[in-house]
Amino acid sequence: MISQQLLISGVGGQGILFIARLLAEIAIAKGLPVLTSETHGMAQRGGIVISHLKVGDFSSPLVRPGQADGLIVLKSGNVALHRSFLQSGGWIAANGTKSVSVSGEMEMTTIDADTIALKLGNPRALNLVVLGHALSTSRLFCTTEEVAEILLHKLHGKPALLEGALTALNAGTTNFPRS
Amino acid sequence: MPENKPTLMQGNEAMARGLVENGCVVAASYPGTPASEILSSIDTWLKTEGVTMHVEWAVNEKVAFEIAYAASQCGLRAVTAMKQVGLNVASDPLMSAAYLGTIGGFVVISADDPGPHSSQTEQDSRLVAMQAKLPVLDPSSPAEARELVGCALRMSEKFELPVMLRPTTRVCHACQDITPVPVEYLERKADFCKDPQRWAATPKFRYELHVELNRKLSRIAAYAPTAPRRLNPSTVSRRAVVASGVSAAHAKEVISASGLQDAFVFYQVFQPYPLHSDFVDEVRAAYDEVLVLEETTGVIEMQLRDYRRVQGKLSGAVPEAGELLPEVIERILCEFAGRPASDLPEAAPAGGKRPTLCAGCPHRASFYAIKKAVPQGIYPSDIGCYTLGVNLGAVDTVLCMGAAIGQAAGFYQAYRVTGHQRDIVATVGDSTFFHAGIPPLIDAVVQGARFVLVILDNTTTAMTGNQPTPAKGTPSGKAVDISSIVAGCGVEFCRSADPLDLPTFTSLLKEALVFSREQGVAVVIAKSPCLVDKSIRHAKRPQALVDSNCTGCKYCTGQFECPALVYDEISRKVTVDVMICSGCGVCLDVCPLKAIKLVEGQP
C-alpha cells in the first residue's frame, strides 16, 4: 500500500485546509485510508497554520518529527520552523523568491507563488500555485491530473472559480524547475 | 448521500453524522474551538438526509444544555455540544441532571484542548464527568467518535443517565475516511410524563437519587460494549500499557513503527470513568508495572489505585501539562520497554508569526482609538478574536466569558474603596455580551460602578467560524437589539459609531470617558462588520500605498500592528502587503506623517 506523510505549512488565510482536504479526498478516491490534522480557532488568525496529512496505514493524525516524506510550504519563513519534521531524504516544495539553502539530506525547490498569483489576478490561489509546483516534482502520492479532476468535481457549477483554480495549478506546474 | 462509500469527514462532522444516523432530534450548542463544527455539520447532514431536527445555536452553554435536556425528558434523543470551558458554564444543570437522569438518550459532548491550542485552560472534562458521577467515553479518532456517539445514546437510554463524550482537538479537527450508514428513524413523539418527585426533587429525595446514581455507576462499570480492549492479545508480559483517546492512537502507531508489539500488553480504554471494575482487578492481578497514557489528567491512573505499580501523570512518568504528542509518547514507551528511543531531529526554533487580528479588522481600529482616547486606562477584555488586542497593548486582562464587565466593575470598586479613581475601558464582543455580559452589567449599574464599556459589535461570532448571534440571522427572524438591552440595564450613556471612522470614534470614546468619570457606566457600541463573515458582501475598496514621505519611524507597525503594514529592512520604509490589505483606510489616520494614501485600481 502507498504510504506517505506530508505537512502543509503556512499562515492563517492562505488556504492550507483547502489543499489538505483536496489531497485527502484524492487519497480516498484512490481507495487509500487517510488521516489529517487541521488548525482552527485562535491559532488560525494570521498565525502559523500546519496541516498533517497521512496517506496509508496509520492510526495517529500527527506526523512525528523526522518522519515526513514531504513538506509543502506556503510561507517561506516556515521552512525553518517545520523542516525538522522531514525524514532524511525528504523534500520541500516552498513558496519563495529564492532557493534557501538547507543543510542535511533534503531536497528543496521554490516557486514565487505570490508574484504568479498576483499576475494571474487571483492572489487567493497561491495555495494551488504551490501545490502545482509540488506536484511537478512527481514525488506526491497523486498526479496533477488527479488534482485537476477533484477540483472539477468540487467546483462543479462554479465555472469562474474552477477556471481560476486550474489556471493557478497549471501555473505552478509549468513554472518548474528551480532547484 | 451515497451510502457505503467512504467520505472525508472531520471528527466534528463524524460525530454529527453519528448523531443524525442514530435518530437524535434535538441539538443545541454554543460555538467554541474545537467543538464549533459539530452543530453546523448536524445542520448539513440533516439537509442532505431530509431529516427534521431542532438545531440551535443557544445564547450560552447552560441554555444549550437545558434545551437538549428537556428533549431527553420528553423521551427524544438529544445532544448538547461545547468546548471544555463551555462545560464550566453548563456545569450547574450537568451536576443536577446526573441525579435526575434521562428518558431519551442524551449525550453531552465536551471537547478538550490539550496544548492548549485555542483555550484558556487544558482542563480535563473527564474529571468534570467524575465529579458529576456521569459516565464518559474517550474516542481516539473521528471514526471511533462516530461509533461512540451511537454507543453513548444507547447507554444513556439503558441507564437513564446523561453520557459524556469527550473528544480532544486531535479528534475534533482530524479528518478521516468514513463510510456513512443509513439514518435510523425512531418516529418518537415528545411525551413528558409528570413526575415531580423526580423532576423537581427536594433535597430529601435528592439523597435517594444519589444512592440510585451510585448503583447505576457500578452497573456501568460492568457494561460490556464499552469495556477496555486488549490490542495485542497474543503478547505475554508482566508489563502493560493502558491508553485512551488520541494517546491510544499515537501509541498504537509508535508501537508498530518501533517494533514494541511484544514488549508489553497494550490496552485501549474507551470509558475512562467509571473504569470497568473487572479491568481494574485484571490489571492489578496480572501486571507488575503499568503505564497509563491519557490526556490531560490522570483519571484512569487514579482509578487503578496502586501507586507502587502504576506510572502515569500522578507518578511523574508522563508530563502533567501540555499535549501528549506522538514523539513524547514514543520516548515514554521506549523508556517503559527498556529500549533506547530514536534521536529526535533538532527541535524547530521557537517563534514565527504570532496570531494577530486580520488586516482591516474593525477591532484593531477600536483598540487604537481606546489607546488614543484613554491612554492611562485599565483595559479588561474578554474571549474572542479581540483577545488579540493584547498585541496593541489595549487588553490587560482576559479571564473568561463576560468577565471584562465584572472585572471592570471590580477594578472600579477596588480603587474607590481605597480612595482613588482610575479610567477603565472594558471591551467585550457582541456574542460574548449576550452569552455572559448582561448580569455583570446590571450589577455594575446597581452598584454605581464607573467605567466605559466598548461592545465590539461585528454582528457575528467571528473567532469560531461566524455563527449567528441573537442580533442577526435568528430562526424566528426576531433580532435582539444590544442598545435596548443596555438601556434596559439602566445605563444612561449608550452611543454607536463605526470604528473604521477613526476620528469620530475616538471623540465619542472621549465623551464616554467624561461621562464615566462623573456619572456611571458609559457604553459605546463599535459597530462594523467582520471581514471574514461570508454572509456579508464586502465592497471592493481601494488599497493603501505608502508614499516617499515615509521615514520608517515604525509608529504604524508598533502602535497599529496591522499585518498588511510591513517594515522593509532594505529600504527602511514601511510597505503595504497587497496580498492581504483590505483597504479599510484606517492607517491613513494612524500615520503621523500622512504618508499612506489610498490608490484606486489595486487588486
Side-chain angles (χ1 to χ4, degrees):
Chain A
M1 188 192 282
I2 293 178
S3 170
Q4 193 162 62
Q5 304 191 50
L6 300 172
L7 285 158
I8 304 150
S9 156
V11 296
Q14 284 189 311
I16 287 165
L17 290 190
F18 180 79
I19 59 171
R21 288 193 177 192
L22 207 62
L23 293 173
E25 282 172 12
I26 295 168
I28 292 175
K30 290 166 79 91
L32 297 165
V34 67
L35 268 170
T36 78
S37 189
E38 305 176 335
T39 313
H40 289 264
M42 171 75 88
Q44 233 183 335
R45 292 281 173 261
I48 304 291
V49 170
I50 185 163
S51 273
H52 300 237
L53 178 77
K54 295 164 88 168
V55 179
D57 187 20
F58 296 100
S59 60
S60 161
L62 295 178
V63 175
R64 277 175 290 150
Q67 300 292 325
D69 297 287
L71 181 56
I72 299 173
V73 183
L74 271 53
K75 192 96 187 168
S76 58
N78 288 15
V79 170
L81 286 177
H82 294 137
R83 49 172 289 207
S84 60
F85 279 101
L86 276 187
Q87 53 175 266
S88 97
W91 52 267
I92 303 172
N95 177 12
T97 47
K98 58 177 184 290
S99 219
V100 181
S101 70
V102 282
S103 58
E105 290 171 44
M106 46 190 86
E107 182 188 300
M108 176 156 132
T109 59
T110 58
I111 183 166
D112 186 1
D114 283 9
T115 305
I116 293 170
L118 271 178
K119 267 189 198 153
L120 294 174
N122 193 1
R124 294 184 61 87
L126 87 90
N127 55 349
L128 288 167
V129 177
V130 181
L131 177 62
H133 171 67
L135 287 160
S136 69
T137 63
S138 305
R139 298 185 71 167
L140 275 172
F141 70 94
C142 57
T143 62
T144 311
E145 290 68 38
E146 285 166 329
V147 174
E149 199 177 314
I150 206 101
L151 280 171
L152 210 69
H153 179 73
K154 275 177 94 83
L155 300 175
H156 180 73
K158 295 173 182 167
L161 274 179
L162 176 65
E163 200 197 322
L166 292 177
T167 309
L169 186 71
N170 289 329
T173 315
T174 49
N175 273 277
F176 183 78
R178 185 141 60 96
S179 55
Chain B
M1 182 73 227
E3 265 115 33
N4 308 320
K5 199 166 164 255
T7 307
L8 186 70
M9 283 190 214
Q10 193 199 50
N12 287 340
E13 292 174 287
M15 285 182 273
R17 179 71 206 177
L19 289 159
V20 173
E21 284 173 354
N22 284 282
C24 179
V25 292
V26 171
S29 178
Y30 182 83
T33 311
S36 307
E37 299 83 3
I38 298 172
L39 198 87
S40 44
S41 304
I42 292 175
D43 218 25
T44 309
W45 286 124
L46 68 91
K47 278 178 190 137
T48 44
E49 295 287 356
V51 177
T52 306
M53 279 180 74
H54 174 73
V55 180
E56 76 162 79
W57 285 118
V59 73
N60 65 31
E61 293 86 354
K62 178 180 183 294
V63 175
F65 186 103
E66 291 156 357
I67 297 283
Y69 181 59
S72 162
Q73 289 178 302
C74 293
L76 305 179
R77 288 191 168 177
V79 65
T80 183
M82 58 200 71
K83 69 181 297 179
Q84 85 287 43
V85 288
L87 188 66
N88 299 342
V89 177
S91 64
D92 209 356
L94 177 84
M95 302 290 160
S96 188
Y99 280 41
L100 305 183
T102 59
I103 304 291
F106 179 38
V107 186
V108 178
I109 302 179
S110 180
D112 284 354
D113 186 24
H117 297 274
S118 196
S119 302
Q120 302 100 288
T121 69
E122 290 192 288
Q123 66 194 65
D124 190 333
S125 295
R126 302 176 310 159
L127 269 181
V128 181
M130 220 174 165
Q131 188 194 357
K133 297 198 167 181
L134 287 177
V136 55
L137 306 178
D138 194 1
S140 72
S141 67
E144 207 174 273
R146 196 266 301 253
E147 291 300 316
L148 289 181
V149 162
C151 178
L153 284 167
R154 289 187 292 275
M155 229 177 132
S156 171
E157 285 178 0
K158 182 177 170 65
F159 297 102
E160 295 203 5
L161 267 186
V163 174
M164 189 188 290
L165 182 68
R166 194 290 302 245
T168 56
T169 301
R170 298 303 184 184
V171 171
C172 293
H173 289 158
C175 295
Q176 194 174 15
D177 50 305
I178 294 176
T179 306
V181 300
V183 172
E184 187 183 350
Y185 292 93
L186 300 175
E187 311 290 357
R188 292 183 192 169
K189 297 281 179 211
D191 183 15
F192 176 67
C193 298
K194 291 194 178 197
D195 183 3
Q197 197 157 313
R198 177 181 180 186
W199 300 127
T202 53
K204 181 173 158 237
F205 291 107
R206 295 270 168 165
Y207 166 77
E208 284 165 24
L209 290 170
H210 189 186
V211 172
E212 173 62 20
L213 174 58
N214 290 341
R215 268 192 226 115
K216 286 180 186 176
L217 280 176
S218 54
R219 282 165 53 215
I220 292 169
Y223 184 57
T226 55
R229 270 173 231 158
R230 190 170 157 170
L231 300 184
N232 54 352
S234 55
T235 298
V236 181
S237 174
R238 293 291 294 172
R239 282 186 200 164
V241 171
V242 177
S244 82
V246 80
S247 300
H250 295 326
K252 193 175 162 196
E253 193 173 307
V254 165
I255 288 167
S256 82
S258 309
L260 296 170
Q261 292 92 337
D262 298 319
F264 42 75
V265 173
F266 179 42
Y267 292 95
Q268 183 181 352
V269 167
F270 300 89
Q271 178 185 293
Y273 179 80
L275 200 56
H276 284 71
S277 6
D278 284 353
F279 175 69
V280 175
D281 293 344
E282 179 184 326
V283 167
R284 288 159 63 95
Y287 306 104
D288 301 325
E289 280 182 82
V290 181
L291 171 70
V292 187
L293 297 170
E294 58 187 321
E295 287 180 321
T296 321
T297 310
V299 166
I300 298 171
E301 186 185 358
M302 67 176 90
Q303 291 172 87
L304 287 171
R305 296 187 301 263
D306 185 342
Y307 301 127
R308 283 161 305 174
R309 285 186 292 177
V310 179
Q311 304 174 32
K313 302 242 173 193
L314 304 168
S315 78
V318 180
E320 276 197 284
E323 188 176 4
L324 272 189
L325 293 166
E327 55 269 32
V328 177
I329 286 180
E330 180 183 10
R331 183 181 51 74
I332 297 168
L333 284 175
C334 287
E335 217 163 87
F336 185 67
R339 309 255 181 98
S342 59
D343 285 338
L344 274 184
E346 206 178 312
K353 256 173 83 80
R354 65 181 175 183
T356 177
L357 294 166
C358 303
C361 174
H363 298 335
R364 176 177 287 105
S366 293
F367 286 123
Y368 183 80
I370 289 168
K371 283 194 298 181
K372 281 279 148 190
V374 194
Q376 302 301 320
I378 302 177
Y379 310 128
S381 191
D382 225 297
I383 309 291
C385 290
Y386 51 92
T387 299
L388 294 169
V390 74
N391 293 354
L392 280 94
V395 166
D396 290 328
T397 68
V398 176
L399 187 65
C400 66
M401 294 287 282
I405 305 172
Q407 285 180 286
F411 285 128
Y412 170 77
Q413 303 294 4
Y415 276 92
R416 186 192 58 81
V417 77
T418 51
H420 293 84
Q421 187 169 345
R422 282 284 298 269
D423 293 340
I424 299 160
V425 184
T427 42
V428 70
D430 47 346
S431 187
T432 306
F433 177 70
F434 285 117
H435 177 288
I438 300 165
L441 185 58
I442 294 170
D443 187 88
V445 169
V446 301
Q447 296 293 333
R450 295 178 182 187
F451 58 87
V452 177
L453 170 63
V454 180
I455 300 176
L456 303 163
D457 182 9
N458 55 9
T459 61
T460 186
T461 316
M463 170 68 86
T464 48
N466 298 106
Q467 292 80 7
T469 73
K472 186 175 162 269
T474 61
S476 70
K478 289 180 182 154
V480 178
D481 174 46
I482 293 178
S483 60
S484 306
I485 294 178
V486 170
C489 290
V491 174
E492 284 162 359
F493 183 110
C494 181
R495 306 253 302 271
S496 297
D498 184 348
L500 295 185
D501 178 357
L502 196 60
T504 308
F505 188 76
T506 311
S507 50
L508 175 58
L509 279 176
K510 286 178 181 163
E511 256 183 81
L513 179 67
V514 171
F515 182 92
S516 79
R517 280 176 179 163
E518 291 159 9
Q519 300 188 56
V521 181
V523 172
V524 172
I525 302 174
K527 216 165 168 45
S528 197
C530 172
L531 285 177
V532 295
D533 186 353
K534 292 194 182 96
S535 72
I536 297 170
R537 283 185 68 88
H538 299 282
K540 208 170 176 180
R541 291 186 290 204
Q543 288 193 308
L545 188 78
V546 182
D547 67 24
S548 57
N549 293 327
C550 174
T551 59
C553 72
K554 295 191 190 176
Y555 178 84
C556 60
T557 53
Q559 295 300 309
F560 192 54
E561 202 249 356
C562 176
L565 293 171
V566 184
Y567 180 75
D568 181 39
E569 295 291 347
I570 298 163
S571 67
R572 297 196 175 177
K573 284 179 192 293
V574 169
T575 58
V576 174
D577 182 347
V578 291
M579 298 291 279
I580 57 173
C581 173
S582 79
C584 74
V586 176
C587 56
L588 275 65
D589 290 313
V590 170
C591 176
L593 295 160
K594 301 280 173 210
I596 309 178
K597 305 269 184 306
L598 288 180
V599 232
E600 297 286 347
Q602 290 279 342

